[in-house]
């Protein structure tokens, strides 16, 4: 249902067509009206999985009309009270995500052609706009599920602002909490035309990727890139160039893709973090990129769902921004 936005860049989970409507989130009357409008659509997440319609033509998210949610169809009459997050609006229709866990009748919505499928598995098969909206829905619903209590005083908190904050219920505290996004740097280190790639023990056999790590408080993107590459692979880095970013809703990361110019290419692998890291020639990397969607190549890069795929491709195409 949700198509490709003009900004679509080919990076999975980016390119949402929705206007997020940040200025309407506190307007209770507007929200109540939109929630019941005939053009409104709801995405139901069951154990953080969306209901997907599978046809020969492909996969698409199942969007339920407002009537289904508010009229109590199919024993799901608790749906109207389920935790609900505003996703946004496009072409005059408003979209919401509902946490349908624990509601009677939800599992029964699945049948031969409609299945609840985990986001990582289904995302590459969805229209890009739908994958992006699904990322937003999954991260938001997951945050509410894990943040029912105030981090300041431990009292129960409640959803506010159409899902974009929680307020502590303790009158003496009333602290407001906001959904988190955790920045991760993912960087392709290069030196003399060669590419530094590594693998973690849990990777599929033969897969090598750009190195990555969570940013730390009080750190710039460039500093995080230099620190991670030195900690994990021992190399020293000079210039760092930002290339592209990707929302990664497991649960709420933002991948920040960079290319890093290495000044000292001597490798010392941190075996706690990596199984291996080594330099690959441009020719090797081109073959690994071409093999990225298969499972049988002895050496390959991650498939296009991962940002590493796009950063390596960008570098190989010799198109630095
Ligand atoms: Zn509190």
């Amino acid at each position: 249902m949700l198509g490709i936005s003009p900004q679509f860049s080919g990076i999975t989970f980016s390119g949402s067509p929705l206007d997020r409507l940040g200025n309407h989130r506190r307007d209770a009357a507007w929200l109540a009206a939109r929630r019941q409008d005939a053009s409104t659509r709801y995405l139901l997440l069951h154990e953080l999985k969306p209901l997907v319609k599978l046809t020969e033509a492909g996969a698409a998210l199942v969007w339920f009309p407002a009537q289904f949610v508010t009229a109590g169809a199919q024993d799901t009459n608790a749906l109207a009270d389920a935790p609900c997050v505003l996703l946004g609006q496009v072409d005059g229709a408003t979209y919401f995500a509902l946490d349908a866990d624990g509601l009677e009748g939800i599992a029964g919505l699945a049948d031969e052609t409609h299945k609840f499928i985990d986001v990582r598995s289904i995302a590459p098969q969805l229209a890009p706009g739908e994958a992006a909206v699904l990322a937003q829905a999954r991260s938001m619903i997951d945050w509410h599920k894990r943040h029912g209590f105030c981090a300041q005083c431990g009292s129960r908190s409640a959803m506010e602002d159409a899902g974009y904050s929680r307020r502590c219920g303790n009158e003496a505290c009333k602290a407001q909490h906001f959904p988190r996004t955790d920045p991760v740097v993912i960087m392709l280190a290069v030196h003399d035309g060669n590419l530094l790639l590594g693998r973690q023990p849990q990777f599929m056999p033969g897969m090598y990727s750009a190195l990555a790590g969570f940013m730390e408080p009080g750190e710039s993107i460039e500093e995080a890139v230099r620190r991670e590459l030195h900690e994990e692979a021992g190399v020293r880095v000079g210039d760092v160039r930002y290339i592209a970013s990707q929302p990664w809703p497991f649960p709420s990361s933002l991948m920040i893709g960079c290319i890093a110019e290495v000044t000292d290419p001597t490798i010392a692998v941190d075996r706690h973090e990596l199984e291996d890291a080594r330099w690959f020639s441009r020719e090797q990397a081109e073959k690994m990129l071409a093999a990225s969607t298969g499972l049988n190549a002895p050496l390959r890069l991650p498939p296009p769902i991962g940002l590493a795929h796009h950063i390596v491709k960008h570098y190989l195409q010799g198109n630095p921004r």
Side-chain angles (χ1 to χ4, degrees):
M1 174 177 286
L2 293 169
I4 301 172
S5 81
Q7 303 86 19
F8 173 57
S9 58
I11 294 172
T12 308
F13 301 127
S14 75
S16 171
L18 296 183
D19 175 348
R20 292 186 176 222
L21 297 171
N23 295 334
H24 283 81
R25 291 171 186 165
R26 292 178 189 167
D27 186 342
W30 180 88
L31 274 171
R34 296 316 302 173
R35 285 207 55 178
Q36 297 180 40
D37 192 87
S39 67
T40 293
R41 293 291 179 271
Y42 288 84
L43 183 68
L44 271 53
L45 292 189
H46 174 49
E47 296 173 349
L48 297 174
K49 298 172 187 168
L51 190 63
V52 179
K53 184 175 185 183
L54 301 162
T55 65
E56 284 183 10
L61 298 177
V62 178
W63 292 94
F64 292 87
Q67 190 189 6
F68 178 87
V69 171
T70 54
Q74 297 198 23
D75 299 328
T76 53
N77 53 354
L79 269 179
D81 299 322
C84 179
V85 171
L86 172 66
L87 296 172
Q89 202 167 45
V90 65
D91 297 335
T94 313
Y95 293 81
F96 292 91
L98 281 182
D99 179 4
D101 271 10
L103 299 183
E104 211 177 318
I106 290 301
L109 294 173
D111 58 24
E112 278 298 300
T113 53
H114 298 79
K115 303 207 181 293
F116 288 100
I117 304 178
D118 75 270
V119 171
R120 195 164 173 163
S121 302
I122 200 62
Q125 297 174 54
L126 296 173
E130 288 215 317
V133 173
L134 180 57
Q136 179 190 5
R138 189 193 191 282
S139 284
M140 291 297 295
I141 295 291
D142 180 76
W143 178 70
H144 285 289
K145 291 173 90 64
R146 293 184 297 115
H147 291 80
F149 295 88
C150 175
Q152 200 153 294
C153 77
S155 302
R156 212 169 262 288
S157 63
M159 192 185 275
E160 281 191 350
D161 298 342
Y164 290 81
S165 71
R166 297 189 68 87
R167 177 82 66 179
C168 175
N170 174 0
E171 284 297 319
C173 175
K174 293 192 120 214
Q176 202 177 7
H177 302 279
F178 298 96
R180 56 187 291 167
T181 296
D182 302 316
V184 176
V185 283
I186 179 161
M187 51 275 166
L188 175 63
V190 297
H191 184 72
D192 274 350
N194 296 317
L195 296 75
L196 178 66
L197 302 169
R199 53 174 282 113
Q200 296 171 13
Q202 70 269 25
F203 281 10
M204 298 279 279
M207 196 173 90
Y208 277 75
S209 185
L211 305 193
F214 281 101
M215 290 184 64
E216 294 184 352
E219 200 172 39
S220 71
I221 292 172
E222 293 85 350
E223 287 163 351
V225 166
R226 293 190 186 105
R227 175 182 56 75
E228 282 287 343
L229 282 171
H230 185 63
E231 283 176 5
E232 295 193 358
V235 297
R236 290 291 185 184
V237 167
D239 282 353
V240 173
R241 206 164 63 239
Y242 167 79
I243 302 298
S245 65
Q246 178 189 36
W248 190 248
F250 310 102
S252 56
S253 291
L254 175 67
M255 311 301 290
I256 302 168
C258 297
I259 290 178
E261 299 286 342
V262 168
T263 52
D264 177 355
T266 311
I267 290 178
V269 178
D270 175 3
R271 300 285 170 187
H272 293 292
E273 298 278 342
L274 296 176
E275 185 180 281
D276 188 26
R278 49 177 137 139
W279 289 103
F280 292 86
S281 70
R282 184 187 176 86
E283 292 70 31
Q284 284 175 309
E286 281 169 350
K287 279 186 195 158
M288 290 164 72
L289 190 67
S292 64
T293 50
L295 294 172
N296 299 321
L299 287 173
R300 62 201 152 79
L301 277 153
I305 189 176
L307 188 59
H309 179 100
H310 299 275
I311 299 170
V312 172
K313 193 172 178 179
H314 176 84
Y315 177 74
L316 292 176
Q317 286 174 345
N319 182 32
R321 286 178 209 181

